[in-house]
Coordinates of all heavy atoms in Angstrom, one line a residue:
M1 N 33.1 105.1 58.3 CA 33.1 104.7 59.7 C 34.1 105.4 60.5 O 35.3 105.6 60.0 CB 33.3 103.2 59.7 CG 33.2 102.7 61.2 SD 33.7 100.9 61.3 CE 32.1 100.2 61.3
G2 N 33.8 105.8 61.7 CA 34.7 106.5 62.6 C 35.7 105.5 63.2 O 35.6 104.3 63.1
K3 N 36.6 106.1 63.9 CA 37.7 105.4 64.6 C 37.1 104.8 65.9 O 36.3 105.4 66.6 CB 38.8 106.3 64.9 CG 40.0 105.6 65.5 CD 41.1 106.6 65.7 CE 42.4 106.0 66.2 NZ 43.5 106.9 66.3
I4 N 37.5 103.6 66.2 CA 37.1 102.9 67.4 C 38.1 103.2 68.5 O 39.3 103.2 68.4 CB 37.0 101.4 67.2 CG1 36.0 101.0 66.2 CG2 36.8 100.7 68.6 CD1 35.9 99.6 65.8
V5 N 37.5 103.6 69.7 CA 38.3 103.9 70.9 C 37.7 103.1 72.0 O 36.5 103.0 72.2 CB 38.3 105.4 71.2 CG1 39.1 105.6 72.5 CG2 38.9 106.2 70.1
T6 N 38.5 102.4 72.8 CA 38.1 101.7 74.0 C 38.5 102.5 75.2 O 39.7 102.9 75.3 CB 38.7 100.3 74.0 OG1 38.4 99.6 72.8 CG2 38.3 99.5 75.2
L7 N 37.6 102.6 76.1 CA 37.9 103.3 77.4 C 37.7 102.3 78.5 O 36.7 101.7 78.7 CB 36.9 104.5 77.6 CG 37.0 105.2 79.0 CD1 38.3 105.9 79.2 CD2 35.9 106.2 79.1
I8 N 38.7 102.2 79.3 CA 38.7 101.3 80.5 C 39.1 102.1 81.7 O 40.1 102.7 81.8 CB 39.8 100.1 80.3 CG1 39.6 99.4 79.0 CG2 39.7 99.2 81.5 CD1 40.7 98.5 78.6
V9 N 38.2 102.0 82.7 CA 38.4 102.6 84.0 C 38.8 101.5 85.0 O 38.1 100.4 85.0 CB 37.2 103.4 84.5 CG1 37.4 104.0 85.9 CG2 36.8 104.5 83.5
T10 N 39.8 101.7 85.8 CA 40.3 100.7 86.6 C 40.8 101.2 88.0 O 41.1 102.4 88.1 CB 41.5 99.9 86.0 OG1 41.8 98.7 86.7 CG2 42.7 100.8 85.8
Y11 N 40.8 100.3 89.0 CA 41.3 100.6 90.3 C 41.7 99.3 91.0 O 40.8 98.4 91.3 CB 40.3 101.3 91.2 CG 40.8 101.6 92.6 CD1 41.8 102.5 92.8 CD2 40.2 100.9 93.7 CE1 42.2 102.7 94.1 CE2 40.7 101.1 94.9 CZ 41.7 102.0 95.2 OH 42.2 102.3 96.4
N12 N 43.0 99.1 91.1 CA 43.6 97.9 91.8 C 43.0 96.6 91.3 O 42.7 95.7 92.1 CB 43.3 98.0 93.3 CG 44.2 99.0 94.0 OD1 45.3 99.4 93.5 ND2 43.8 99.5 95.1
R13 N 43.0 96.5 90.0 CA 42.6 95.2 89.4 C 43.5 94.9 88.2 O 43.1 94.7 87.1 CB 41.2 95.3 88.9 CG 40.2 95.6 90.0 CD 38.8 95.0 89.6 NE 37.8 95.4 90.5 CZ 37.6 94.9 91.8 NH1 38.5 94.0 92.2 NH2 36.6 95.2 92.5
I14 N 44.8 94.8 88.5 CA 45.8 94.7 87.4 C 45.6 93.5 86.6 O 45.8 93.5 85.3 CB 47.3 94.8 88.0 CG1 48.3 95.0 86.9 CG2 47.6 93.6 88.9 CD1 49.7 95.4 87.4
D15 N 45.3 92.3 87.2 CA 45.1 91.1 86.4 C 43.9 91.2 85.5 O 43.9 90.8 84.3 CB 45.1 89.9 87.3 CG 46.4 89.6 88.0 OD1 47.4 89.9 87.4 OD2 46.4 89.0 89.1
K16 N 42.8 91.7 86.0 CA 41.6 91.9 85.2 C 41.8 92.9 84.1 O 41.3 92.8 83.0 CB 40.4 92.3 86.1 CG 40.0 91.1 87.0 CD 38.8 91.5 87.8 CE 38.4 90.3 88.7 NZ 37.2 90.4 89.4
L17 N 42.6 93.9 84.4 CA 43.0 94.9 83.4 C 43.7 94.3 82.2 O 43.4 94.5 81.1 CB 43.7 96.1 84.0 CG 44.2 97.2 83.0 CD1 43.0 97.8 82.3 CD2 45.0 98.2 83.8
R18 N 44.7 93.5 82.5 CA 45.5 92.8 81.5 C 44.5 91.9 80.6 O 44.6 91.9 79.4 CB 46.5 91.9 82.1 CG 47.8 92.5 82.6 CD 48.8 91.4 83.0 NE 50.0 92.0 83.5 CZ 50.3 92.0 84.8 NH1 49.5 91.5 85.7 NH2 51.4 92.6 85.2
N19 N 43.6 91.2 81.3 CA 42.7 90.3 80.5 C 41.8 91.2 79.6 O 41.5 90.8 78.5 CB 41.8 89.5 81.5 CG 42.6 88.4 82.2 OD1 43.6 88.0 81.7 ND2 42.1 88.0 83.3
C20 N 41.3 92.3 80.1 CA 40.5 93.2 79.4 C 41.2 93.7 78.1 O 40.7 93.7 77.0 CB 40.0 94.3 80.3 SG 38.8 95.4 79.5
I21 N 42.4 94.2 78.4 CA 43.2 94.8 77.2 C 43.5 93.7 76.2 O 43.3 93.9 75.0 CB 44.5 95.4 77.8 CG1 44.2 96.7 78.5 CG2 45.5 95.7 76.6 CD1 45.4 97.2 79.3
D22 N 43.9 92.5 76.7 CA 44.2 91.4 75.7 C 43.0 91.0 75.0 O 43.0 90.7 73.8 CB 44.8 90.2 76.5 CG 46.2 90.5 77.0 OD1 46.8 91.5 76.6 OD2 46.6 89.8 77.9
S23 N 41.8 91.0 75.6 CA 40.5 90.7 74.9 C 40.2 91.7 73.8 O 39.8 91.4 72.7 CB 39.4 90.7 75.9 OG 39.5 89.6 76.7
V24 N 40.5 93.0 74.1 CA 40.3 94.1 73.1 C 41.2 93.9 71.9 O 40.8 93.9 70.8 CB 40.4 95.5 73.7 CG1 40.5 96.6 72.7 CG2 39.3 95.7 74.7
L25 N 42.5 93.6 72.2 CA 43.5 93.5 71.2 C 43.3 92.2 70.3 O 43.7 92.2 69.2 CB 44.9 93.4 71.8 CG 45.4 94.7 72.5 CD1 46.7 94.4 73.2 CD2 45.4 95.8 71.5
N26 N 42.6 91.2 70.9 CA 42.3 90.0 70.1 C 41.0 89.9 69.3 O 40.7 88.9 68.7 CB 42.4 88.8 71.1 CG 43.8 88.5 71.5 OD1 44.8 88.6 70.8 ND2 44.0 88.1 72.8
Q27 N 40.3 91.0 69.4 CA 39.0 91.1 68.6 C 39.3 91.0 67.1 O 40.3 91.6 66.6 CB 38.2 92.3 69.0 CG 37.7 92.3 70.4 CD 36.8 93.5 70.7 OE1 36.3 94.2 69.8 NE2 36.6 93.8 71.9
K28 N 38.4 90.4 66.4 CA 38.6 90.2 65.0 C 37.6 91.1 64.3 O 36.5 91.5 64.8 CB 38.3 88.8 64.6 CG 39.1 87.8 65.3 CD 40.6 87.8 64.8 CE 41.3 86.7 65.4 NZ 42.6 87.0 66.0
G29 N 37.9 91.5 63.1 CA 37.0 92.3 62.2 C 37.0 93.8 62.4 O 36.2 94.5 61.8
T30 N 37.9 94.3 63.3 CA 38.0 95.7 63.4 C 39.4 96.1 63.4 O 40.3 95.3 63.6 CB 37.4 96.2 64.8 OG1 38.2 95.6 65.8 CG2 36.0 95.8 64.9
D31 N 39.6 97.4 63.0 CA 41.0 97.9 63.1 C 41.4 97.9 64.6 O 40.5 98.1 65.5 CB 41.1 99.3 62.5 CG 40.9 99.3 61.0 OD1 41.2 98.3 60.4 OD2 40.4 100.3 60.5
L32 N 42.6 97.8 64.9 CA 43.1 97.8 66.3 C 42.7 99.2 66.9 O 43.1 100.2 66.3 CB 44.6 97.6 66.4 CG 45.0 96.1 66.2 CD1 46.5 96.0 66.2 CD2 44.3 95.2 67.2
P33 N 42.0 99.2 68.0 CA 41.5 100.5 68.5 C 42.6 101.2 69.4 O 43.5 100.5 69.8 CB 40.4 100.0 69.4 CG 40.8 98.7 69.9 CD 41.5 98.1 68.7
D34 N 42.4 102.5 69.6 CA 43.1 103.2 70.6 C 42.5 102.7 71.9 O 41.3 102.5 72.0 CB 43.0 104.7 70.5 CG 44.0 105.3 69.5 OD1 44.6 104.5 68.8 OD2 44.1 106.5 69.4
I35 N 43.3 102.6 72.9 CA 42.8 102.2 74.3 C 43.2 103.2 75.3 O 44.4 103.6 75.5 CB 43.4 100.8 74.7 CG1 43.0 99.7 73.7 CG2 43.0 100.4 76.1 CD1 43.6 98.4 73.9
I36 N 42.2 103.8 75.9 CA 42.4 104.8 76.9 C 42.1 104.1 78.3 O 41.1 103.5 78.5 CB 41.4 106.0 76.8 CG1 41.6 106.7 75.4 CG2 41.6 107.0 77.9 CD1 40.5 107.7 75.1
V37 N 43.1 104.2 79.2 CA 43.0 103.6 80.5 C 43.0 104.7 81.5 O 44.0 105.5 81.6 CB 44.2 102.6 80.8 CG1 44.1 102.1 82.2 CG2 44.1 101.4 79.8
V38 N 41.9 104.8 82.3 CA 41.8 105.8 83.3 C 42.0 105.0 84.6 O 41.2 104.2 85.0 CB 40.5 106.5 83.3 CG1 40.3 107.5 84.5 CG2 40.3 107.3 82.0
D39 N 43.1 105.3 85.3 CA 43.4 104.6 86.6 C 43.1 105.5 87.8 O 43.6 106.6 87.9 CB 45.0 104.4 86.5 CG 45.5 103.7 87.8 OD1 44.7 103.3 88.6 OD2 46.7 103.5 87.9
N40 N 42.2 105.0 88.6 CA 41.8 105.7 89.8 C 42.8 105.6 90.9 O 42.5 105.3 92.1 CB 40.4 105.2 90.3 CG 39.3 105.9 89.5 OD1 39.3 107.0 89.1 ND2 38.2 105.1 89.3
D41 N 44.0 105.9 90.6 CA 45.2 105.9 91.5 C 45.4 104.6 92.2 O 45.6 104.4 93.4 CB 44.9 107.0 92.6 CG 46.2 107.5 93.2 OD1 47.3 107.4 92.5 OD2 46.2 108.0 94.3
S42 N 45.5 103.5 91.4 CA 45.8 102.2 91.9 C 47.1 102.1 92.5 O 48.0 102.8 92.2 CB 45.8 101.2 90.7 OG 44.5 101.1 90.1
C43 N 47.2 101.2 93.5 CA 48.5 101.0 94.2 C 49.0 99.6 94.0 O 49.8 99.0 94.8 CB 48.4 101.3 95.7 SG 47.1 100.4 96.5
D44 N 48.6 98.9 92.9 CA 49.0 97.5 92.6 C 49.9 97.4 91.4 O 50.1 96.3 90.9 CB 47.7 96.7 92.3 CG 46.9 97.2 91.1 OD1 47.3 98.2 90.5 OD2 46.0 96.5 90.7
G45 N 50.5 98.5 91.0 CA 51.5 98.5 89.9 C 50.9 98.7 88.5 O 51.6 98.6 87.5
T46 N 49.6 99.1 88.5 CA 49.0 99.4 87.2 C 49.7 100.3 86.3 O 49.9 100.1 85.1 CB 47.5 99.9 87.4 OG1 46.8 98.9 88.1 CG2 46.9 100.3 86.1
S47 N 50.3 101.4 86.8 CA 51.0 102.4 86.0 C 52.2 101.8 85.3 O 52.5 102.1 84.2 CB 51.4 103.6 86.9 OG 52.4 103.2 87.8
G48 N 52.8 100.7 85.9 CA 53.9 100.1 85.3 C 53.6 99.3 84.0 O 54.5 99.0 83.3
L49 N 52.3 99.1 83.8 CA 51.9 98.4 82.5 C 52.1 99.3 81.3 O 52.3 98.9 80.2 CB 50.5 98.0 82.6 CG 50.0 96.9 83.6 CD1 48.5 96.7 83.5 CD2 50.8 95.6 83.4
F50 N 52.2 100.6 81.6 CA 52.2 101.6 80.5 C 53.4 102.6 80.6 O 53.8 103.2 79.6 CB 50.9 102.5 80.6 CG 49.7 101.6 80.6 CD1 49.1 101.3 81.8 CD2 49.2 101.1 79.4 CE1 47.9 100.5 81.8 CE2 48.0 100.3 79.4 CZ 47.4 100.0 80.6
I51 N 54.0 102.7 81.8 CA 55.1 103.7 82.0 C 56.3 103.0 82.4 O 56.3 102.1 83.3 CB 54.6 104.7 83.1 CG1 53.4 105.5 82.6 CG2 55.8 105.7 83.4 CD1 52.8 106.3 83.7
G52 N 57.5 103.4 81.9 CA 58.7 102.9 82.3 C 59.3 101.9 81.3 O 58.7 101.4 80.4
S53 N 60.6 101.5 81.6 CA 61.3 100.7 80.7 C 60.7 99.2 80.7 O 60.9 98.5 79.7 CB 62.8 100.6 81.0 OG 62.9 100.2 82.4
E54 N 60.0 98.8 81.7 CA 59.5 97.5 81.8 C 58.0 97.4 81.4 O 57.3 96.4 81.6 CB 59.6 97.0 83.3 CG 61.0 96.9 83.8 CD 61.8 95.9 83.1 OE1 61.3 94.8 82.9 OE2 63.0 96.1 82.8
A55 N 57.5 98.5 80.8 CA 56.1 98.6 80.5 C 55.7 97.4 79.5 O 56.4 97.1 78.6 CB 55.7 99.9 79.8
E56 N 54.6 96.8 79.8 CA 54.0 95.7 79.0 C 53.3 96.2 77.7 O 53.3 95.5 76.7 CB 53.1 94.8 79.8 CG 53.7 94.1 80.9 CD 52.7 93.2 81.7 OE1 51.7 92.7 81.1 OE2 52.9 93.1 82.9
Y57 N 52.7 97.3 77.8 CA 51.9 97.9 76.7 C 52.5 99.2 76.3 O 52.3 100.3 76.8 CB 50.5 98.1 77.2 CG 49.8 96.8 77.6 CD1 49.6 96.5 78.9 CD2 49.4 95.9 76.7 CE1 49.0 95.4 79.3 CE2 48.7 94.7 77.1 CZ 48.5 94.4 78.4 OH 47.9 93.3 78.8
K58 N 53.4 99.0 75.3 CA 54.1 100.2 74.7 C 53.7 100.4 73.3 O 54.0 99.6 72.4 CB 55.7 100.0 74.7 CG 56.3 100.0 76.1 CD 57.8 99.9 75.9 CE 58.5 99.9 77.2 NZ 59.9 99.8 77.1
S59 N 52.9 101.4 73.1 CA 52.4 101.7 71.7 C 51.7 103.0 71.8 O 51.2 103.4 72.8 CB 51.4 100.6 71.3 OG 50.7 101.0 70.1
S60 N 51.7 103.7 70.7 CA 51.1 105.0 70.6 C 49.6 104.9 70.7 O 48.9 105.9 71.0 CB 51.5 105.7 69.3 OG 51.0 105.0 68.2
R61 N 49.0 103.7 70.6 CA 47.6 103.6 70.7 C 47.1 103.5 72.2 O 45.9 103.6 72.5 CB 47.0 102.5 69.9 CG 47.2 101.1 70.5 CD 46.4 100.1 69.7 NE 46.8 98.8 70.0 CZ 47.5 98.0 69.2 NH1 47.8 98.4 68.0 NH2 48.0 96.9 69.6
F62 N 48.0 103.3 73.1 CA 47.7 103.3 74.5 C 47.8 104.7 75.1 O 48.8 105.4 75.0 CB 48.6 102.3 75.3 CG 48.3 100.9 75.0 CD1 49.1 100.2 74.1 CD2 47.2 100.2 75.5 CE1 48.9 98.9 73.8 CE2 47.0 98.9 75.2 CZ 47.8 98.2 74.4
H63 N 46.8 105.1 75.8 CA 46.8 106.4 76.5 C 46.4 106.2 78.0 O 45.3 105.8 78.3 CB 45.7 107.3 75.8 CG 45.9 107.4 74.4 ND1 46.8 108.2 73.7 CD2 45.3 106.7 73.4 CE1 46.8 108.1 72.4 NE2 45.8 107.1 72.2
Y64 N 47.4 106.4 78.8 CA 47.2 106.1 80.3 C 47.1 107.4 81.0 O 47.8 108.4 80.9 CB 48.4 105.4 80.8 CG 48.4 105.2 82.3 CD1 47.6 104.2 82.9 CD2 49.2 106.0 83.1 CE1 47.6 104.1 84.3 CE2 49.2 105.9 84.5 CZ 48.4 104.9 85.1 OH 48.4 104.7 86.4
F65 N 46.0 107.5 81.9 CA 45.8 108.7 82.7 C 45.6 108.2 84.2 O 44.8 107.3 84.4 CB 44.5 109.4 82.3 CG 44.7 110.0 80.9 CD1 44.1 109.3 79.8 CD2 45.3 111.2 80.6 CE1 44.2 109.7 78.5 CE2 45.4 111.6 79.3 CZ 44.9 110.9 78.3
N66 N 46.3 108.8 85.1 CA 46.1 108.5 86.5 C 45.3 109.7 87.1 O 45.7 110.8 87.0 CB 47.4 108.3 87.2 CG 47.2 107.8 88.7 OD1 46.4 108.3 89.4 ND2 48.0 106.8 89.0
T67 N 44.2 109.4 87.8 CA 43.3 110.5 88.3 C 43.9 111.1 89.6 O 43.4 112.1 90.1 CB 41.9 110.0 88.6 OG1 42.0 109.0 89.6 CG2 41.2 109.5 87.3
R68 N 44.9 110.4 90.2 CA 45.5 110.8 91.5 C 44.6 110.7 92.7 O 44.9 111.2 93.7 CB 46.2 112.2 91.4 CG 47.2 112.4 90.3 CD 48.4 111.6 90.6 NE 49.4 111.7 89.5 CZ 50.1 110.7 89.1 NH1 50.0 109.5 89.7 NH2 51.0 110.9 88.1
A69 N 43.4 110.1 92.5 CA 42.5 109.9 93.6 C 41.5 108.8 93.1 O 41.3 108.7 91.9 CB 41.8 111.1 94.0
N70 N 40.9 108.0 94.0 CA 39.9 107.1 93.6 C 38.6 107.8 93.5 O 37.9 108.0 94.5 CB 39.8 105.9 94.6 CG 38.8 104.9 94.1 OD1 38.2 105.0 93.1 ND2 38.7 103.8 94.9
I71 N 38.2 108.2 92.3 CA 37.0 109.0 92.1 C 35.8 108.1 91.6 O 34.8 108.6 91.2 CB 37.2 110.2 91.1 CG1 37.8 109.7 89.8 CG2 38.2 111.2 91.7 CD1 37.9 110.8 88.7
G72 N 36.1 106.8 91.6 CA 35.0 105.8 91.3 C 34.9 105.7 89.8 O 35.5 106.4 89.0
G73 N 34.1 104.7 89.4 CA 33.8 104.4 88.0 C 33.2 105.6 87.3 O 33.6 105.9 86.2
A74 N 32.2 106.2 87.9 CA 31.5 107.3 87.2 C 32.4 108.5 87.0 O 32.5 109.1 86.0 CB 30.3 107.7 88.0
G75 N 33.3 108.7 88.0 CA 34.2 109.8 87.9 C 35.3 109.5 86.9 O 35.6 110.4 86.1
G76 N 35.7 108.3 86.8 CA 36.7 107.9 85.8 C 36.1 108.1 84.3 O 36.8 108.5 83.4
F77 N 34.9 107.7 84.1 CA 34.3 107.8 82.8 C 34.0 109.3 82.5 O 34.0 109.7 81.3 CB 33.0 107.0 82.7 CG 33.2 105.6 82.5 CD1 33.0 104.6 83.5 CD2 33.7 105.1 81.3 CE1 33.2 103.3 83.3 CE2 34.0 103.7 81.0 CZ 33.7 102.8 82.1
C78 N 33.7 110.1 83.5 CA 33.5 111.5 83.3 C 34.8 112.2 82.8 O 34.7 113.0 81.9 CB 33.0 112.2 84.6 SG 32.6 113.9 84.4

C-alpha cells in the first residue's frame, strides 16, 4: 500500500483549517499522513499555524505552501 497524503486548499478559514487538520490527525486505522496545505494568500494568520516560533503544527509531515495570490480552489489543487 502506498503512502497517504492529505491535500488541503484554504483561504481565510483558519478555524475550519484547524478543524480539518485535527480531523485528519484523529483518524483511526491509517498511518499518520503527510499533510500538504496550499494557502491562497490568506490574511487571517494561517501561515502562523506552520511558520515561526509560535507555530501550532510543527512536524516534518506538514508541508505549507503560500500561492501569494488567491487563485481559487481549482488553482490551489493544480
Side-chain angles (χ1 to χ4, degrees):
M1 178 187 267
K3 185 175 185 177
I4 295 172
V5 176
T6 300
L7 173 64
I8 304 167
V9 178
T10 189
Y11 177 70
N12 285 339
R13 301 206 186 287
I14 194 168
D15 291 332
K16 290 182 181 188
L17 177 60
R18 280 187 184 108
N19 288 339
C20 184
I21 291 170
D22 292 343
S23 291
V24 170
L25 295 176
N26 289 322
Q27 289 185 21
K28 306 287 187 227
T30 63
D31 291 333
L32 289 176
D34 277 10
I35 298 175
I36 300 169
V37 176
V38 177
D39 179 6
N40 276 328
D41 206 23
S42 297
C43 57
D44 63 353
T46 294
S47 64
L49 295 176
F50 308 95
I51 299 170
S53 60
E54 301 291 318
E56 293 179 35
Y57 299 103
K58 290 184 179 182
S59 169
S60 61
R61 80 169 162 252
F62 289 102
H63 308 277
Y64 172 80
F65 299 95
N66 189 314
T67 62
R68 303 290 179 219
N70 184 359
I71 58 175
F77 282 108
C78 182

